Amino acid sequence: MTKILAIETSCDETAAAVVEDGYHIHSNVVASQVDIHRRYGGIFPEVASRQHILALPTVIQDALSGAGADWKDLDAVAVTYGPGLAGSLLVGVNAAKGIALSLGLPLIGVNHLAGHLYSNWLKTNHEVPVPSFPSVCLIVSGGHTELVLVRGHLDYQVLGRTLDDAAGEAFDKVARLMGLDYPGGPAIQAAAEKGNAKAFELPRARLRGTFDFSFSGLKTAVLRIVQRYMNTIQSPANTAVIQLPLHSLPVANLAASFQMAVVDVLVEKTCEAAKHFDAAEILIAGGVSANASLRHEMTARADRPVRVPPLFLCTDNAAMIGAVAHHLFLAGECARQDLDVIPNLRLDENTKS
Ligand code: KG4
Ligand code: ZN
């Protein structure tokens, strides 16, 4: 039995959790900074790291008391050391080092992307068995879009990734273009509910023969449409000039068409990879896996079982970091006190210490 205190500060959520044996969540505390960053229309890195410094001590204390645990009950301290914002990662890593050193506990460095993947191992219902191997996992977040073959615990092969924007980044940027709120994913999902996904014909980059993704062409296509509605439009005969304000933009239809273009490609590629590698099941993870249309379409179109994490485990949290840490701990993959942050850490480099 292992009880791990996990800390996650890679982006704009300050989080701590106590997780037992890699699946049992004793506590999972997340202090979101979203209301602060909304003012800037995106994440302001310096503000994010300052905010982590302010929030982390209370978040850790709340995670311990929420778990009914004491410092002496812990077997290890785990922390995200990449990928993410350098200044944000540093706050968590330094806190974890301090706690591990003062309590004489092992320190475990965790890859944030592995964390998202392992959100599928956290049990909120003990009737449900853990995922089977091999599985194919689509990790879709604000900074990453990766298709991963999971052969066993800590044994991953990245099959493809985005060549430009991450899926979540595309949601955030397109929402901004359309005058919607930050973060863009939930805002687009809400707007799309009243829209027609066939209203606009938008491009889908299929990149045949690869498991890679690209969303920049789609984003530019939306930009052109928005510009068309914002700009001065001349009538065909050039006799009159019509000025259309942004509020004339058919937001619901454009949001629905954009969302379906992203979902189509994500689902198609994931199902192809699952078939190619004969995966026992398909997993999805990361902030964008909270998207209702993605969850629905993946389940409807896949020819094998699809596992989606509960909504509270899709976006950044520390329980998922504790889930990976359990397996690193069992494998003896502990970090040293000179553990440093790696802002561009890749999933294939997971177990560096
Ligand atoms: O995993 P996450 O919390 O942080 C990163 O590691 O990046 O993902 C955040 C991303 C944001 O881009 C946000 O717009 C997107 O996840 N997101 C969604 C939804 N909820 C969050 N995208 C689409 N639909 C949603 N319902
Ligand atoms: Zn994340």
Side-chain angles (χ1 to χ4, degrees), residues 234-253:
Q234 300 213 319
S235 74
N238 257 351
T239 49
V241 174
I242 311 154
Q243 182 82 42
L244 287 177
L246 185 59
H247 63 68
S248 69
L249 189 73
V251 170
N253 283 348

Side-chain angles (χ1 to χ4, degrees), residues 112 116 141-143 168-169 171-172 183-186 189 286-288 290-291 314-316:
H112 180 79
H116 276 305
S141 69
E169 191 180 356
F171 268 98
D172 294 337
Q189 176 176 318
V288 182
N291 185 270
C314 291
T315 43
D316 289 349

